[in-house]
């Protein structure tokens, strides 16, 4: 059965149930919508029901909403259209509900209603009424004589036998001849000052419950006001205006009209508190009056009282209140039901999708092995994407997971740092003095125009030693970053199997520690090789040295024939030369040595960066293709691991989530059937 979900067509069909819309009275006041009256029955006839039998079409709608409420679909975030009864303490709220239901409710000092009381009224054709209470998953049958006592007993069981209140609802079902088809939620009366042993924060507790019920836009607020007070001062008015400032979903019932008739007409016509659905003035049962007698007395009061008789008859009397509530309720359901249908479907689809994403419940070692291999396979594919192929579709907005780009940035930073270190050591003020000192100590017995190789190696070893820590720090930084990415990816793929996470984390950390140690050994070995000897087959060395030596002739000419303290060299910029005139015998060899080192250092610099880059990519590729799955498998399924058996033990959080989703799906499916059935009924009525 498909759920009818087209909102406009749905509302159109609801509109064909022959309800009159809200209209304006002659004085401009908005009157609540009323059903077509039944000409065959007077509303004050002893045998007349409060609302005529067109409720046969409304009852299925109300039953559907009651079924949804019974299924607790509101816990799924789906609000239901509800008439919420609020009022200040002693406003006459209980008396109004008694008049509508034709039964006696608990009375007494202080707060009588200590839990939300869901009253489901249903016109019953037989003479004998049927009443029962529903709470804590049980049904307690009662009758008109004992219903008040049974409500008190149930309330004590829910909220305790002191003065505390509770947000756990109690449902009262009344099937009785002549009552209107209504479902209302009666809430505790508002009181500011705790009395008779009530909790000190009683006002805050009651306010919290009331706001929870009246906040949803689907709620209709039935605000019970006493004619004996100024309406703007009522706390219930203040609360309702906070959530319904225009009053479009608020109906006011004015009680005790007979006790304060003066000015009542002005109060309900001026409407200083924005009651959009209008007012209904009532006179409740007094003393031992029967409900039929009370209705006759009410009719007589509003027909004969010199002040109250001037109030428009369309806004006085319990029967008018009943008709208005039924109409408002029907309109509210018709307006909200399409949205309820959509929300049920959306929530159901969302939960089913979420359940499908959860891992299958594993019942055998074979299932666990299959799941384990699937996790490793998906994790390795993620590693290939982000470490090797440079794809980041799995993490489009997380730049830290764009690994090829981040590793390239680190390598570029290494190159810049090495270059900067080299440039800082080329001080213009002491130009060539390091080379001269080394040459002086490398002098041997031999021809004077040969450059001692020991001098070159001495300077080379010093320069390599100065930058030796930089490649080591780079390796440590790179592997720290790789470890974080690897763990993030693995934990993501293992998130549904917490029992796998610790073993996986430990295996990854062990593997990365090994690879990091290998990288450190490799980089230190590379640095040692660079210190050991000077060698390159790169022709760029000779080319670069030749270009640098072109400056030698001009440099020596300035040094010999000029008193200038400085000279400009293309590769080094401006250098000081005055101090070199004291070492003229060594300057030419020192210049040659400096140019050779400058040309060779470019090779060393490039070789270090290239070697580290190649080694890093090689290590990461081995980690992805060879190391990670083997290490995890050894850790997880080794002789002491017992991993597959642990995977069969679903974690409490996953099991709880699975249970919650299954329960939610069950409720939503049942709710979907409920709204599908009522949609079909509406379609049948419209046709």
């Amino acid at each position: 059965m498909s759920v009818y979900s087209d909102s406009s067509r749905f509302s159109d069909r609801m509109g064909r149930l022959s309800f009159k819309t809200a209209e304006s009275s002659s004085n401009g006041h908005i009157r609540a919508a009323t059903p077509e009256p039944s000409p065959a029955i007077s509303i004050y006839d002893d045998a007349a029901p409060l609302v005529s039998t067109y409720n046969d079409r409304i009852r299925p709608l109300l039953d559907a909403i009651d079924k949804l409420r019974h299924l607790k679909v509101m816990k799924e975030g789906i609000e239901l259209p509800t008439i919420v009864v609020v009022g200040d303490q002693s406003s006459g709220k209980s008396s109004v509900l008694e008049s509508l239901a034709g039964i006696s409710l608990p009375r007494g000092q202080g707060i009588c209603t200590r839990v939300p009381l869901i009253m489901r009224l249903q016109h019953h054709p037989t003479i004998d009424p049927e009443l029962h209470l529903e709470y804590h998953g049980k049904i307690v049958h009662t009758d008109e004589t004992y219903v008040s006592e049974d409500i008190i007993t149930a309330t004590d069981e829910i909220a305790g036998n002191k003065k505390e209140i509770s947000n756990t609802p109690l449902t009262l079902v009344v099937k009785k001849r002549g009552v209107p088809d209504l479902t209302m939620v009666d809430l505790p009366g508002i009181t500011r000052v705790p009395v008779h042993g009530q909790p000190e924060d009683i006002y805050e507790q009651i306010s919290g419950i009331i706001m929870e019920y009246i906040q949803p836009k689907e709620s209709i607020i039935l605000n019970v006001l006493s004619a004996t007070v100024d309406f703007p001062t009522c706390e219930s008015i203040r609360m309702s205006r906070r959530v319904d400032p225009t009053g479009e979903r608020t109906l006011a019932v004015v009680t005790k009209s007979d006790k304060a008739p003066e000015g009542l007409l002005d109060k309900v016509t001026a409407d200083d508190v924005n009651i959009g659905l209008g007012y209904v003035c009532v006179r409740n049962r007094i003393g031992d009056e029967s409900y039929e007698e009370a209705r006759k007395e009410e009719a007589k009061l509003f027909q004969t009282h010199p002040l109250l008789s001037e109030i428009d008859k369309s806004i006085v009397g319990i029967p008018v209140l009943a008709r208005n509530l039924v109409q408002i309720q029907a309109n509210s359901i018709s307006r909200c039901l399409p949205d309820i249908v959509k929300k049920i479907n959306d929530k159901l689809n969302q939960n089913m999708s979420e359940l499908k994403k959860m891992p299958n419940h594993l019942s055998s070692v074979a299932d666990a092995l299959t799941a384990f291999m699937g996790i490793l396979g998906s994790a390795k594919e993620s590693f290939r994407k982000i470490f090797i192929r440079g794809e980041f579709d799995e993490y489009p907005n997380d730049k830290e997971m764009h690994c090829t780009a981040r590793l390239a940035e680190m390598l570029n930073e290494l190159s810049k740092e090495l270059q900067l270190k080299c440039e800082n050591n080329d001080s213009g003020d002491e130009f060539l003095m390091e080379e001269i000192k080394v040459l002086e100590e490398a002098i041997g017995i031999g021809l004077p125009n040969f450059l001692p190789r020991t001098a070159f190696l001495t300077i080379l070893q010093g320069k390599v030693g100065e930058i030796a820590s930089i490649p080591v720090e780079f390796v440590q930084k790179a592997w720290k970053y790789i470890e974080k990415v690897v763990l993030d990816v693995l934990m993501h793929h293992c998130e549904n199997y917490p029992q796998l996470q610790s073993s996986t984390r430990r295996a990854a950390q062990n593997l990365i520690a090994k690879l990091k140690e290998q990288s450190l050994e490799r980089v230190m070995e590379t640095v040692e090789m660079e210190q050991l000897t000077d060698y390159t087959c790169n022709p760029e060395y000779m080319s670069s040295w030749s270009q640098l030596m072109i400056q030698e002739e001009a440099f020596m000419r300035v040094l010999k024939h000029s008193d200038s303290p400085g000279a400009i060299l293309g590769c080094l910029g401006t250098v000081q030369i005055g101090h070199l005139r004291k070492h003229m015998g060594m300057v030419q060899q020192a210049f040659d040595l400096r140019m050779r080192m400058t040309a060779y250092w470019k090779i060393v610099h490039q070789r270090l960066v290239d070697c580290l880059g190649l080694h890093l990519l090689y290590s990461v590729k081995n980690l992805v293709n060879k190391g990670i799955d083997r290490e995890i498998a050894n850790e997880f399924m080794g002789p002491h691991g017992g991993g597959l058996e642990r995977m069969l033990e679903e974690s409490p959080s996953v099991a709880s989530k699975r249970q919650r989703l299954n329960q939610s799906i069950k409720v939503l499916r049942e709710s979907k059937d409920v709204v599908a059935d009522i949609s079909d009924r509406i379609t049948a009525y419209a046709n």
Side-chain angles (χ1 to χ4, degrees):
M1 181 180 296
S2 63
V3 177
Y4 192 94
S5 60
D6 187 296
S7 178
S8 60
R9 286 183 292 156
F10 192 96
S11 298
D12 178 63
R13 290 181 175 182
M14 283 297 300
R16 299 182 196 177
L17 297 184
S18 301
F19 302 148
K20 292 177 66 177
T21 58
E23 58 185 31
S24 298
S25 64
S26 59
N27 57 24
H29 180 70
I30 300 296
R31 295 206 305 264
T34 57
E36 294 284 359
S38 174
I41 303 176
S42 166
I43 61 174
Y44 288 111
D45 187 354
D46 288 349
L50 286 177
V51 181
S52 58
T53 57
Y54 86 102
N55 291 352
D56 291 343
R57 293 188 175 185
I58 293 180
R59 187 69 246 168
L61 299 177
L62 195 54
D63 285 342
I65 298 301
D66 287 339
K67 287 178 182 177
L68 294 178
R69 185 175 286 108
H70 183 72
L71 288 170
K72 299 180 180 179
V73 75
M74 296 175 77
K75 288 187 176 181
E76 304 298 329
I78 299 169
E79 298 294 343
L80 300 177
T82 304
I83 297 176
V84 182
V85 186
V86 297
D88 291 9
Q89 193 170 347
S90 302
S91 63
K93 187 162 54 72
S94 296
S95 297
V96 171
L97 296 175
E98 286 182 341
S99 297
L100 290 170
I103 60 170
S104 297
L105 296 174
R107 297 292 188 92
Q109 296 296 320
I111 302 174
C112 299
T113 305
R114 296 192 289 125
V115 299
L117 178 63
I118 302 174
M119 298 183 62
R120 292 170 52 191
L121 310 183
Q122 183 176 350
H123 174 64
H124 198 46
T126 61
I127 297 177
D128 296 329
E130 296 178 9
L131 287 77
H132 69 263
L133 297 169
E134 299 174 2
Y135 62 101
H136 287 174
K138 62 183 179 181
I139 296 176
V140 177
H141 292 276
T142 184
D143 56 34
E144 291 181 281
T145 303
Y146 295 102
V147 63
S148 180
E149 295 179 17
D150 289 339
I151 290 175
I152 293 173
T153 300
T155 299
D156 289 344
E157 187 172 334
I158 294 171
N161 55 9
K162 295 183 180 179
K163 299 294 182 179
E164 294 89 346
I165 63 173
S166 170
N167 203 6
T168 301
L170 166 65
T171 299
L172 169 63
V173 179
V174 178
K175 298 180 180 180
K176 184 177 180 181
R177 185 177 182 182
V179 301
D181 282 291
L182 285 172
T183 296
M184 300 173 290
V185 180
D186 180 27
L187 299 179
I190 304 168
T191 181
R192 280 193 170 277
V193 181
V195 294
H196 304 295
Q198 294 169 351
E200 289 298 319
D201 63 342
I202 189 67
Y203 171 75
E204 287 75 14
Q205 290 187 40
I206 293 174
S207 298
I209 294 175
I210 290 175
M211 293 303 292
E212 178 182 334
Y213 275 87
I214 66 175
Q215 182 81 42
K217 59 181 176 50
E218 294 83 1
S219 294
I220 298 298
I221 305 170
L222 181 59
N223 209 320
V224 181
L225 310 171
S226 172
T228 60
V229 301
D230 292 331
F231 297 166
T233 66
C234 294
E235 186 67 15
S236 62
I237 286 291
R238 190 185 69 83
M239 287 187 180
S240 63
R241 291 182 69 174
R242 282 172 57 189
V243 298
D244 182 30
T246 63
E248 62 183 0
R249 53 187 181 88
T250 302
L251 172 68
V253 182
V254 183
T255 63
K256 306 180 183 179
S257 301
D258 51 329
K259 294 185 177 180
E262 294 81 5
L264 183 56
L265 176 60
D266 292 336
K267 282 185 177 182
V268 298
T269 54
D271 188 23
D272 294 330
V273 290
N274 288 344
I275 304 296
L277 294 177
Y279 294 79
V280 178
C281 302
V282 300
R283 180 258 192 203
N284 289 314
R285 187 167 62 105
I286 298 176
D288 296 328
E289 290 178 343
S290 68
Y291 292 103
E292 290 76 12
E293 291 171 345
R295 284 168 62 183
K296 289 183 179 180
E297 289 299 322
E298 180 184 56
K300 180 180 178 182
L301 175 70
F302 287 110
Q303 288 170 355
T304 62
H305 191 282
L307 296 177
L308 298 179
S309 61
E310 295 183 7
I311 302 176
D312 194 312
K313 296 302 179 288
S314 65
I315 60 170
V316 297
I318 289 294
V320 169
L321 174 62
R323 288 203 309 268
N324 288 359
L325 286 174
V326 170
Q327 178 65 67
I328 291 168
Q329 176 180 252
N331 289 344
S332 177
I333 294 174
S334 68
R335 183 181 67 254
C336 297
L337 201 52
D339 191 44
I340 292 172
V341 171
K342 182 179 183 303
K343 287 180 179 179
I344 289 174
N345 283 331
D346 290 347
K347 185 68 173 180
L348 179 59
N349 292 334
Q350 176 187 331
N351 285 356
M352 291 179 67
S353 175
E354 190 173 351
L355 186 62
K356 287 180 181 178
K357 292 178 182 177
M358 291 189 67
N360 294 327
H361 183 62
L362 306 178
S363 57
S364 67
V365 172
D367 290 342
L369 180 59
T370 301
F372 177 69
M373 298 306 294
I375 291 170
L376 285 185
S378 59
K380 284 185 67 173
E381 179 58 23
S382 294
F383 290 143
R384 290 190 183 99
K385 283 183 176 182
I386 62 178
F387 279 126
I388 299 174
R389 299 201 297 267
E391 301 170 4
F392 44 85
D393 55 285
E394 293 182 9
Y395 306 93
N397 300 317
D398 188 353
K399 290 188 176 182
E400 281 298 299
M401 303 300 283
H402 302 175
C403 299
T404 54
R406 301 292 81 79
L407 290 174
E409 285 177 356
M410 292 182 193
L411 208 60
N412 290 336
E413 289 173 5
L414 169 67
S415 179
K416 291 177 182 177
E417 191 173 0
L418 289 173
Q419 182 64 33
L420 184 63
K421 184 74 172 178
C422 176
E423 291 173 354
N424 289 340
N425 289 336
D426 288 329
S427 174
D429 293 338
E430 296 293 326
F431 182 59
L432 296 184
M433 286 308 299
E434 180 184 6
E435 287 79 4
I436 289 173
K437 291 176 182 178
V438 171
L439 285 169
E440 287 176 346
E441 296 303 315
I443 292 176
I445 300 173
L447 295 175
N449 61 339
F450 281 88
L451 187 66
R453 188 168 180 235
T454 54
F456 185 86
L457 288 176
T458 300
I459 293 176
L460 174 63
Q461 289 167 358
K463 288 177 71 65
V464 172
E466 289 173 355
I467 58 91
S469 64
I470 296 176
V472 173
E473 292 171 359
F474 165 79
V475 168
Q476 292 173 333
K477 179 181 178 182
W479 278 109
K480 182 178 181 181
Y481 168 72
I482 292 169
E483 179 178 16
K484 179 183 182 303
V485 171
V486 168
L487 292 178
D488 285 349
V489 172
L490 287 174
M491 294 305 102
H492 170 69
H493 286 282
C494 296
E495 63 181 348
N496 291 321
Y497 296 97
Q499 62 273 54
L500 179 60
Q501 290 180 353
S502 59
S503 298
T504 302
R505 180 184 294 275
R506 187 164 53 250
Q509 289 173 332
N510 290 341
L511 176 60
I512 290 173
K514 295 175 187 175
L515 294 174
K516 177 183 175 182
E517 187 64 29
Q518 292 174 9
S519 294
L520 287 172
E521 290 177 1
R522 178 64 179 269
V523 72
M524 288 188 288
E525 184 181 70
T526 301
V527 170
E528 287 178 7
M529 287 191 295
E530 294 294 350
Q531 287 181 310
L532 179 65
T533 187
D534 51 337
Y535 171 76
T536 182
C537 63
N538 191 334
E540 186 179 340
Y541 165 70
M542 288 301 297
S543 173
S544 179
W545 174 72
S546 299
Q547 290 293 323
L548 291 169
M549 289 301 292
I550 292 174
Q551 305 171 91
E552 182 185 24
E553 183 178 350
F555 174 75
M556 294 303 296
R557 185 167 55 249
V558 171
L559 185 63
K560 291 178 179 179
H561 305 294
S562 172
D563 295 332
S564 174
I568 299 175
L569 295 178
C571 62
L572 299 174
T574 301
V575 296
Q576 299 299 313
I577 61 174
H579 61 281
L580 296 177
R581 294 188 174 96
K582 299 177 183 179
H583 308 278
M584 292 300 294
M586 290 285 188
V587 170
Q588 199 163 359
Q589 274 191 314
F591 186 89
D592 186 8
L593 181 57
R594 167 58 70 92
M595 296 307 112
R596 289 177 185 272
M597 184 57 66
T598 300
Y600 185 66
W601 189 252
K602 292 181 181 178
I603 303 298
V604 173
H605 173 209
Q606 186 176 16
R607 197 155 53 196
L608 281 172
V609 175
D610 288 348
C611 182
L612 284 173
L614 290 171
H615 174 71
L616 188 63
L617 291 177
Y618 172 78
S619 299
V620 169
K621 189 173 182 180
N622 280 342
L623 180 149
V624 173
N625 291 335
K626 299 179 182 179
I628 191 69
D629 52 350
R630 183 169 59 246
E631 194 77 23
I632 293 174
N634 290 339
E635 176 71 31
F636 192 65
M637 297 193 296
H640 305 294
L644 292 179
E645 289 74 14
R646 290 205 309 275
M647 284 186 70
L648 299 177
E649 303 170 4
E650 195 166 51
S651 70
S653 61
V654 173
S656 175
K657 181 179 180 181
R658 190 190 305 280
Q659 182 180 6
R660 176 181 59 79
L661 286 173
N662 281 322
Q663 178 61 30
S664 176
I665 289 170
K666 178 177 181 293
V667 168
L668 291 167
R669 280 176 172 164
E670 292 180 13
S671 301
K672 183 175 180 178
D673 291 339
V674 170
V675 294
D677 180 63
I678 195 60
S679 299
D680 290 344
R681 285 173 177 260
I682 292 169
T683 302
Y685 288 148
N687 293 334

